Amino acid sequence: MKKLAFFILGFVTFGLSGCGYNTMQANEEAVIKAWGDVEASYQRRADLIPNLVEVVKGYAKHEADTLKAVTEARSRVGSVQATKDVLNDPASFNKFQQAQGELSSALSRLMVVVERYPDLKANQNFLDLQNQLEGTENRINVARVRYNQAVETFNVSIRTFPNSMTNSMLLHLKRKEPFKAEEGAKSAPKVKF
């Protein structure tokens, strides 16, 4: 009788070790961490932009409309709350991504202003802030890529056998949404002087 009990206990333990429960939990935590990295990159950009705008205002009074667009876009980004629930709600995720896209577009227009008016480039503070902004945009891109990789790993882990059975019976985890290209991102922006 003891041998049978040990056999059943061993079989159950072995069966549970291959069910993927812990793997799926770890993969979901990786998605949450990657999302936190994306949020941190966006926060860095949001913190940097007011400084950039103040420096540019001092040198580009004639381009007030562009600076206003950046400020308004930043304000809209701040009004969209990026909580962990965004990961499970495609509509909220798209709204968040759209607000970030509007800010990126406004920042692109600001960079065109810089190209048009070389005297702005002469200011070392502006150059430093511009480099920081470029670095921040690169960080955002890296964070998005890492987030998408974590989402892919997670989504595969909940959809493949035997994990899919464990998920459907125990966890009920939902597929996460990756970042997608914005509308019109396939065509290169046109810069006119």
Side-chain angles (χ1 to χ4, degrees):
M1 187 67 162
K2 285 184 178 182
K3 287 184 180 184
L4 180 61
F6 281 123
F7 176 75
I8 291 173
L9 181 63
F11 182 76
V12 169
T13 302
F14 177 76
L16 287 177
S17 70
C19 72
Y21 183 89
N22 290 335
T23 301
M24 288 183 283
Q25 297 292 327
N27 289 342
E28 185 173 41
E29 288 302 317
V31 169
I32 292 168
K33 183 220 174 281
W35 179 249
D37 292 345
V38 169
E39 287 182 314
S41 295
Y42 281 139
Q43 184 63 49
R44 182 179 192 277
R45 178 169 73 175
D47 292 344
L48 181 63
I49 288 171
N51 295 327
L52 176 60
V53 170
E54 287 305 313
V55 171
V56 174
K57 272 185 182 178
Y59 292 93
K61 292 179 182 170
H62 45 36
E63 290 294 326
D65 291 342
T66 301
L67 298 176
K68 183 178 177 186
V70 170
T71 304
E72 289 173 353
R74 182 192 178 279
S75 175
R76 282 191 293 278
V77 165
S79 70
V80 176
Q81 296 298 318
T83 63
K84 291 178 182 161
D85 296 334
V86 168
L87 300 177
N88 295 322
D89 183 4
S92 295
F93 188 86
N94 287 337
K95 185 177 178 184
F96 177 80
Q97 191 173 355
Q98 181 180 5
Q100 293 296 337
E102 289 174 10
L103 181 55
S104 294
S105 176
L107 289 171
S108 295
R109 289 192 304 274
L110 180 62
M111 292 306 151
V112 169
V113 170
V114 174
E115 296 297 327
R116 284 187 184 173
Y117 301 99
D119 58 316
L120 294 178
K121 291 183 181 180
N123 184 288
Q124 187 60 44
N125 290 334
F126 180 79
L127 285 175
D128 291 344
L129 288 169
Q130 185 178 3
N131 288 335
Q132 289 179 23
L133 184 59
E134 181 180 353
T136 299
E137 294 299 317
N138 288 337
R139 284 184 181 110
I140 289 170
N141 186 51
V142 168
R144 285 177 177 170
V145 168
R146 288 180 181 161
Y147 171 78
N148 281 351
Q149 290 169 343
V151 165
E152 177 186 22
T153 300
F154 172 77
N155 288 345
V156 168
S157 75
I158 66 169
R159 296 181 69 202
T160 56
F161 184 82
N163 295 4
S164 60
M165 290 178 51
T166 302
N167 187 41
S168 65
M169 290 188 280
L170 297 174
L171 297 172
H172 309 288
L173 299 172
K174 294 182 180 174
R175 185 180 177 280
K176 306 293 184 199
E177 286 293 318
F179 271 100
K180 298 177 185 124
E182 298 173 24
E183 287 292 322
K186 292 179 183 176
S187 57
K190 296 185 189 225
V191 178
K192 295 181 181 178
F193 296 101

